[in-house]
Amino acid sequence: MLELRPNCEYCDKDLLPDAPDARICSYECTFCADCVETHLHNVCPNCGGGFAPRPIRPAREWRSGVCCEKQTPSTRRVHLKWPVEDVAAFVAGVREIEPGCR
């Protein structure tokens, strides 16, 4: 089950569980769409992979025990592990390579 992390790791913008602009990589690193497009150029600064829209967990309990209320999103805020300058250099080195080839 996805953690549904509550913030963008780059700019710290709040990303509610139903945020349509939340993006994740295959390791669930979480960023807002603006940072993915503007700063990261579809390169996860943690793993080098690409991003996809984060799925939205149903707010309503359509099936017993399966909803945002019963399987609560994470409240632990996560931030970049590297300085912004290092991230920019890393992104510049791999952004021209398609995510499936990285």
Side-chain angles (χ1 to χ4, degrees), residues 6 24-25 37 48 50 55 63 70 88 94 96:
I24 59 173
C25 74
E37 295 164 13
R63 295 256 190 201
K70 302 286 174 106
V94 299
E96 298 303 322

Side-chain angles (χ1 to χ4, degrees), residues 33-52:
D34 184 55
C35 286
V36 166
E37 295 164 13
T38 306
H39 303 290
L40 303 174
H41 305 282
N42 197 34
V43 176
C44 177
N46 300 315
C47 72
F51 291 99

Side-chain angles (χ1 to χ4, degrees), residues 51-99:
F51 291 99
R54 182 178 71 187
I56 294 174
R57 185 168 298 153
R60 179 179 172 197
E61 189 175 7
W62 295 96
R63 295 256 190 201
S64 180
V66 183
C67 66
C68 236
E69 183 180 315
K70 302 286 174 106
Q71 296 174 320
T72 58
S74 175
T75 57
R76 184 179 63 89
R77 298 182 84 80
V78 178
H79 300 93
L80 284 175
K81 299 172 186 171
W82 296 278
V84 173
E85 299 80 19
D86 289 356
V87 169
F90 176 72
V91 167
V94 299
R95 73 186 244 187
E96 298 303 322
I97 303 168
E98 289 296 318

Side-chain angles (χ1 to χ4, degrees), residues 4 8 13 17 21 29 31-33 39 58 61-62 68 83 95 97:
L4 299 180
C8 173
K13 174 183 177 179
D21 64 331
C29 301
F31 297 88
C32 69
H39 303 290
E61 189 175 7
W62 295 96
C68 236
R95 73 186 244 187
I97 303 168

